[in-house]
Amino acid sequence: MDLASAKMIGAGLACIALVGAGIGIGNVFAALINALARNPAAQVTPFAFLGFALAEATGLFGLAIAFLILFVF
Amino acid sequence: MALELHPLEQFVIKPIVPLHIGKLDISFTNSALLMTIAVLLATAVVVIGTRREELVPSRIQSLGELAYEFIGNMIDETVGTDGQRYFPFVFTLFMFILFGNVLGLIPFGYTFTGQLIVTFAMAAVVFVGVTLIGIWRHGWRFLSFFVPHGVPIVLLLLLVPIELLSYLIRPFTLSIRLFANMLAGHTMLAIFGGFAASIGILGLLPLGLDVLIFFLELLVAVLQAYVFTILTCLYLNDAINLH
């Protein structure tokens, strides 16, 4: 296998990290809707966005690796 | 299929005013220019906003007050009133990152928060500062931070190294989170822009997607400034109140 195809496959594999980010973000907002439906006065939205940002960042680590494989090396 | 895309070209540092002292390159670059603009704008919002204090605030005054109260409340909620002493540092950090992130979204601009060394320098300052504050306030008792309460001695052999590792890894996660968000977002914008340019009339589709991603990136830019700041506050809370 030559280097170019190996890079493509590697970048594709790195994007699997996005599965976790998707599950995480889905969980965060599911929990937010749950909380707001049970108690509309709950002040939890800022925490939900904090959780969203933290969960999204883990997926972006994978995406950054994919970009590094494709464009830097 | 090889697309002629250079999505990482936007992160290249170009010197504007070349300056060399011996082998040291201290040129005024596009990154430095954007940093200067960010500092000037952040200063202008606060200084002009508070020049004429009116009961019914003007737009710029309410912007400055909003940012001030936002950070003030954040410190109150996470650290407590004890943390207000560090308000100037946290506020400066927040405004610098916020303006850096948002200015980077202007086309043909430059995102200095998309450089790992910039975010790492900020995270390292936070890490070293917080550690010194902890040692200064608690002395040797600061080490009890790494020992969880009510745990059997045998388990401590395992838990203390883990706590220590998770403490030492903080500057890296803090800096890479901001850097990766900016890098990935801007690269994604550039890639979709490249698609739009290369496939003719069908390119309207990725162009429309690019517009939507731009709004997401605007959210992310503000959110990541918030996350960086609130994590700084949480670390400060650990150092001041020790769990």
Side-chain angles (χ1 to χ4, degrees):
Chain A
M1 183 164 34
D2 59 318
L3 187 63
S5 3
K7 268 186 184 177
M8 293 285 172
I9 293 171
L13 288 177
C15 282
I16 294 176
L18 295 172
V19 171
I23 294 172
I25 295 170
N27 257 332
V28 167
F29 283 110
L32 175 67
I33 292 169
N34 238 324
L36 288 183
R38 282 164 194 243
N39 177 11
Q43 303 276 329
V44 289
T45 316
F47 296 109
F49 275 96
L50 181 66
F52 161 74
L54 294 179
E56 196 210 18
T58 55
L60 287 176
F61 292 160
L63 204 61
I65 296 294
F67 285 147
L68 284 178
I69 292 172
L70 278 180
F71 300 115
V72 177
F73 296 115
Chain B
M1 186 179 72
L3 280 165
E4 284 297 310
L5 290 176
H6 303 287
L8 292 177
E9 209 180 346
Q10 56 181 324
F11 295 107
V12 175
I13 294 178
K14 296 178 195 116
I16 297 173
V17 184
L19 274 177
H20 293 274
I21 297 179
K23 280 188 176 172
L24 200 65
D25 186 0
I26 52 161
S27 308
F28 190 77
T29 58
N30 49 2
S31 171
L33 178 70
L34 259 290
M35 280 187 207
T36 316
I37 295 174
V39 170
L40 287 180
L41 272 181
T43 314
V45 165
V46 182
V47 170
I48 297 175
T50 52
R51 183 173 290 162
R52 276 187 304 122
E53 287 154 349
E54 288 168 38
L55 203 58
V56 180
S58 61
R59 275 180 204 162
I60 194 153
Q61 187 188 339
S62 50
L63 192 66
E65 282 177 358
L66 197 72
Y68 188 96
E69 277 175 14
F70 182 63
I71 301 297
N73 288 338
M74 187 196 285
I75 294 177
D76 264 348
E77 279 165 20
T78 51
V79 190
T81 43
D82 229 14
Q84 288 296 347
R85 183 184 302 187
Y86 306 104
F87 175 86
F89 174 70
V90 178
F91 186 68
T92 314
L93 200 63
F94 175 72
M95 291 301 263
F96 186 61
I97 297 172
L98 179 68
F99 275 83
N101 287 354
V102 175
L103 280 175
L105 284 171
I106 297 172
F108 302 107
Y110 185 85
T111 326
F112 59 80
T113 42
Q115 291 287 345
L116 184 55
I117 191 65
V118 174
T119 58
F120 184 73
M122 289 191 287
V125 168
V126 169
F127 177 72
V128 173
V130 161
T131 310
L132 287 181
I133 288 168
I135 293 173
W136 173 59
R137 288 181 82 103
H138 300 287
W140 285 107
R141 277 199 302 129
F142 180 63
L143 290 178
S144 74
F145 175 73
F146 301 109
V147 185
H149 299 294
V151 177
I153 304 275
V154 186
L155 218 54
L156 278 183
L157 288 174
L158 187 67
L159 281 180
V160 170
I162 292 176
E163 286 276 327
L164 199 64
L165 190 69
S166 78
Y167 187 76
L168 292 177
I169 214 164
R170 276 176 178 183
F172 299 101
T173 52
L174 191 61
S175 57
I176 291 174
R177 182 176 298 115
L178 179 58
F179 152 74
N181 267 286
M182 289 301 121
L183 179 88
H186 285 258
T187 314
M188 197 153 65
L189 281 175
I191 286 176
F192 279 101
F195 286 164
S198 60
I199 58 175
I201 188 74
L202 274 175
L204 284 177
L205 206 67
L207 189 68
L209 205 58
D210 226 3
V211 173
L212 293 180
I213 295 174
F214 187 86
F215 284 112
L216 178 72
E217 283 311 304
L218 203 58
L219 173 75
V220 166
V222 179
L223 211 57
Q224 286 303 323
Y226 169 68
V227 167
F228 197 100
T229 325
I230 201 165
L231 285 174
T232 304
C233 287
L234 291 176
Y235 296 164
L236 208 55
N237 178 40
D238 285 345
I240 291 177
N241 301 324
L242 288 186
H243 309 256

